[in-house]
Amino acid sequence: MLAVFDKTVAKSPEALQSSHIAKSAFALKDGSLASHFSSLHPGSVIINLGSSGFMSYSSDKQNPLLPRLFAVVDDIFCLFEGHIENVAHLKQQYGLNKTANEVIIVIEAYRTLRDRGPYPADQVVRDIQGKFAFILYDSSSKATFIAADADGSVPFFWGTDSEGHLVLSDDGEVVKQGCGKSFAPFPKGCFFTSSGGLRSYEHPINELKAVPRVDSSGEVCGATFKVDSESKKGKTGMPRVGSDANWSQHI
C-alpha cells in the first residue's frame, strides 16, 4: 500500500525531514512515484485524491496472514494491512453488522471520534488488538488518521519528499524512491493526525522525542521517535462540544 499527502493536508514532523533530501525526490510531481509503485506491484489500484494526493494498493506479494484491505465510506478512504484479533468485540462496540471487516471497523472508529465520541483518540487505537497498520483520509475535512500496532508487526514506513509532501507505504524501497534519505519506519505504538501530529497511544501523556537516524555512510536520514518518560503532555481528551463536533479540530 502507498499514500502520498500534500503538505497542506498532512504536515510531517520536522525531525523526519532531512537536509539530505535529494532535490529530485518528488512523490507527487508527474505521478512518477505512483507509476513506480505500479511497476513493482502489478494490478495495483490508484485512488486520485485531487490536490490532496493519492492512495494506492495491490494484493501483489501480500502476506496471507497480513492481508491488505481498502474501503470508501462517505468520503472516508482507508487502507488497512494486517489482522484484528478482537473483531467481534469492536463490531459490537461500534454497532456494525457481521459482514464488517477490519477496514470498515477502522472507518467506523474514526467516524465515531469525528462525529460523536468524547473518547480520547489514543484509547480508540489502543482498543484495536492485533497486527496492523492503516492509513485513513477524510476528504470532507481533509484530515488524515494513521497508525501502527505496538510491535511493528506490519512493515510500515514514512518520509518527506523534496516538496514537503508526506509519503507512507509498507514498501520501504518505494518510500526511499520518493523521499531520498528522508524516511524511517513509522513509530511503533503511535498514531498521526493532520491536526494533532504524531502521538503515542501506549503512553498518551508523554511527549515523543525525535532521535536522528544515521545510515551506514554516517549521514542523517530522517528520524525515529521514542517516548520521553520525563516529558508530560497536557490533557489529551477531546472536549465535547456538541454531537456534530469535528474531533480532528480539537486534538
Side-chain angles (χ1 to χ4, degrees):
M1 62 181 180
L2 168 66
V4 179
F5 295 114
D6 185 87
K7 60 186 176 184
T8 61
V9 172
K11 182 174 174 56
S12 64
E14 288 187 13
L16 188 62
Q17 303 172 27
S18 170
S19 59
H20 298 283
I21 301 176
K23 292 183 178 179
S24 59
F26 297 111
L28 280 179
K29 190 175 182 179
D30 302 327
S32 57
L33 190 60
S35 298
H36 179 65
F37 181 81
S38 296
S39 70
L40 295 176
H41 302 281
S44 60
V45 176
I46 298 174
I47 301 95
N48 189 336
L49 302 175
S51 61
S52 297
F54 72 88
M55 302 172 84
S56 185
Y57 70 97
S58 169
S59 59
D60 178 58
K61 302 174 185 174
Q62 74 175 353
N63 183 337
L65 299 178
L66 302 171
R68 303 183 190 110
L69 301 170
F70 173 75
V72 185
V73 179
D74 296 336
D75 297 323
I76 300 171
F77 300 76
C78 187
L79 287 167
F80 179 94
E81 184 169 345
H83 173 70
I84 294 177
E85 295 172 357
N86 59 333
V87 164
H89 170 74
L90 293 176
K91 284 181 184 179
Q92 183 177 21
Q93 179 174 323
Y94 293 114
L96 294 168
N97 61 41
K98 292 181 179 180
T99 62
N101 59 11
E102 282 93 340
V103 70
I104 296 298
I105 288 171
V106 170
I107 290 175
E108 191 58 33
Y110 167 79
R111 288 207 301 184
T112 299
L113 279 170
R114 184 193 66 180
D115 299 339
R116 311 188 288 279
Y119 319 107
D122 56 84
Q123 180 66 51
V124 169
V125 184
R126 194 162 57 247
D127 283 345
I128 302 174
Q129 300 171 12
K131 301 177 179 181
F132 64 87
F134 65 78
I135 305 167
L136 181 148
Y137 174 69
D138 182 351
S139 63
S140 65
S141 59
K142 294 192 173 181
T144 59
F145 188 36
I146 301 155
D149 73 63
D151 296 321
S153 307
V154 176
F156 196 35
F157 306 88
W158 66 340
T160 308
D161 78 350
S162 58
E163 296 180 311
H165 305 315
L166 185 64
V167 181
L168 304 111
S169 179
D170 59 351
D171 188 331
E173 288 304 311
V174 170
V175 180
K176 188 175 182 179
Q177 175 78 15
C179 304
K181 290 184 177 294
S182 178
F183 85 102
F186 189 87
K188 301 175 184 178
C190 290
F191 69 101
F192 175 88
T193 64
S194 298
S195 56
L198 183 68
R199 295 183 179 184
S200 166
Y201 61 79
E202 286 197 298
H203 305 279
I205 66 171
N206 295 101
E207 297 281 359
L208 289 169
K209 184 189 334 185
V211 180
R213 289 179 73 232
V214 180
D215 65 12
S216 57
S217 62
E219 290 188 349
V220 174
C221 50
T224 56
F225 294 83
K226 299 185 181 299
V227 173
D228 185 352
S229 59
E230 303 298 322
S231 178
K232 305 289 185 183
K233 296 178 74 72
K235 185 179 179 182
T236 59
M238 293 183 293
R240 180 189 286 274
V241 287
S243 60
D244 294 324
N246 186 337
W247 70 276
S248 64
Q249 303 303 313
H250 298 284
I251 65 170

